[in-house]
Amino acid sequence: MAAPDYLIIGAGSAGCVLARRLVDAGRSVTLVEAGPPDYRMDYRIHMPAALSHVLSGTTYNWDYRTVPEPHMAGRTMFCPRGKTLGGSSSINGMIYVRGHQQDFNQWAALSGYDDWRAEHCLPFFKRAESVAFDAGELRGRDGPMKITRGAMDNPLITAFLEAGQQAGHDYSPDLNGDLQEGVGPFDRTISCGRRFSTARGYLDSVRKSGLLTILTRAQATRLCSDNDRVTGAEIAERGARRVINAGETVLCAGAIDSPRLLLRSGIGDPAIIGGAGLSVLHELPGVGRNLQDHLEVYVQQACTAPVSIYPALKWYNQAWIGALWYLAKQGPGATNHFEAGGFLRGSDSAPWPDLQMHFLPVAMNYDGTATAGQHGFQIHVGPMKPVSRGQVTLSGIQFNYAEAQADREAMRSGIRKVREIISQPAFDQFRGVELTPGPHIQSDAAIDSFVAQHAESAYHPCGTCRMGQDSMAVVDNTGCVHGLDGLRVVDASIMPAITNGNLNAPVIMLAEKIAAAMLA
């Protein structure tokens, strides 16, 4: 079989985008995914409300864990990553947030590449999306990704939006538009009551193309090279190994697995590579460093009126919810229930909003492992621009959450601002006792201790193969790995800094942008 023009390793959000755009342009592509197909009859990855089911399993989830985090009471933290076509877009919370315009100006400043400023990224956000609601000229109308909003018909959501404004925050009709500040409806990757992953948006139209070969349950074990040129990769597939050569190899394995594949191939810090008993092919000390993530906590409140979605968690109600979803793609199963949220400034000195809130009309753990056992609601809150940095190595993942004093201060501010919103008159008819952190948690020290014991990842790892021009940068402005030919990295790992909000939309954008550069 002739070598393809491109070998793409990882069929996640970036990999699906690249495969589609390259095939549409007449290029031959082999797309390699370590996980199984995105089986269309498996409700876990297609029913929006079932996201906790897929997060708590390992069929479609790598289920990574960190090493004990020193500032999180020594806890080992959960780090789920998608393991199927669509990658993490097939298991995430389906919230679609572009980020603040200043995020991309920051990328340009940190990397030294001016073509990553916000005005250069906007056309690729628009190219990617097709919004199903009235929106301004900043939004896309005919892209592959279907973007919708929830009905927001639960009275607790109405109370949240009113309370946010009563607390002095703006109402933003489009958090992906002109104003990414205040409270408002969330955009979601849900269409016709089903999760709309990048596999659905980008791959479906080209799956049967003669130019695209998709391999599932096929894991890249190392990159192959000839001097300073990467020629392809060794693939482990159904108990056998083979080498796939290509004109160009593109890593789209994500912020955890892209740096690990580089390190296994001898590309990275010689100390890490040599420590694992491997030979150094190419020295790039920044591989695996600069790891960032969003940390969050839940402020959970008892609800004095029976209006939360708590009854939907009962086993005896889930049968009819499932049947309604299977038959009509309607009902409680057809939404992720994160239909509203907001972006606030943690302090007056913040140059742009640096806290995100997600509102949920029930009190439960994100992965479904525990519920409050009663009617309630919760607001997830966390700092969007953490200062702390971690590292991915061949032996472990460490985020160093809350290592920086600034991150601890931002989290305290976030919890207090959420409490201020819940104390507003709009919640008077619903507000019961605060369940977590609890009314006794008030001082800085008490809040810090609560966060250390209970905070969770928001599942947004990035930055481990960052774009730039200094000695610790890994790729250039088009994802090409410094010092090697025939190799790119295109995924969240190349972000110089984490963005304001959930990462799926920026990953899709950067893949669209680099695809255009590759074809140019």
Side-chain angles (χ1 to χ4, degrees), residues 64-69 76-77 79 81 255-257 260 291 390-401 461:
Y64 290 133
R65 309 285 163 152
T66 69
V67 301
E69 289 285 349
T76 296
M77 308 281 282
C79 180
R81 295 285 86 204
I256 306 301
D257 284 314
R260 281 185 165 170
L291 176 61
Q391 184 176 6
V392 172
T393 67
L394 290 171
S395 59
I397 305 165
Q398 183 172 338
F399 287 96
N400 281 326
Y401 293 119

Side-chain angles (χ1 to χ4, degrees), residues 148-226:
T148 63
R149 291 181 179 165
M152 295 198 298
D153 54 4
N154 187 288
L156 290 171
I157 297 176
T158 302
F160 166 74
L161 295 174
E162 292 177 355
Q165 295 170 80
Q166 289 169 350
H169 305 293
D170 290 329
Y171 175 80
S172 174
D174 188 355
L175 291 167
N176 285 319
D178 288 318
L179 182 64
Q180 197 218 30
E181 185 164 7
V183 295
F186 270 143
D187 292 356
R188 309 164 313 150
T189 51
I190 297 173
S191 179
C192 300
R194 291 172 60 94
R195 175 192 292 274
F196 204 84
S197 69
T198 54
R200 291 188 64 198
Y202 282 89
L203 276 191
D204 277 5
S205 65
V206 292
R207 285 193 197 218
K208 296 181 180 180
S209 168
L211 292 172
L212 178 63
T213 300
I214 300 175
L215 304 178
T216 54
R217 294 191 174 90
Q219 186 167 8
T221 56
R222 67 178 178 88
L223 299 173
C224 301
S225 62
D226 182 6

Side-chain angles (χ1 to χ4, degrees), residues 224-290:
C224 301
S225 62
D226 182 6
N227 295 319
D228 290 334
R229 180 172 185 81
V230 171
T231 57
E234 180 184 80
I235 307 297
E237 183 181 15
R238 294 170 175 83
R241 292 177 184 263
R242 61 171 168 139
V243 171
I244 299 178
N245 292 313
E248 186 170 299
T249 302
V250 189
L251 303 192
C252 300
I256 306 301
D257 284 314
S258 282
R260 281 185 165 170
L261 182 55
L262 290 173
L263 291 168
R264 286 200 304 271
S265 305
I267 303 167
D269 186 338
I272 296 173
I273 296 167
L278 302 172
S279 299
V280 177
L281 170 68
H282 182 64
E283 183 175 346
L284 274 177
V287 171
R289 299 187 187 275
N290 193 48

Side-chain angles (χ1 to χ4, degrees), residues 8 14-24 29 31 203 206 212:
I8 299 175
C16 289
V17 172
L18 287 178
R20 163 74 177 273
R21 294 309 187 193
L22 293 171
V23 167
D24 280 349
V29 174
L31 179 62
L203 276 191
V206 292
L212 178 63

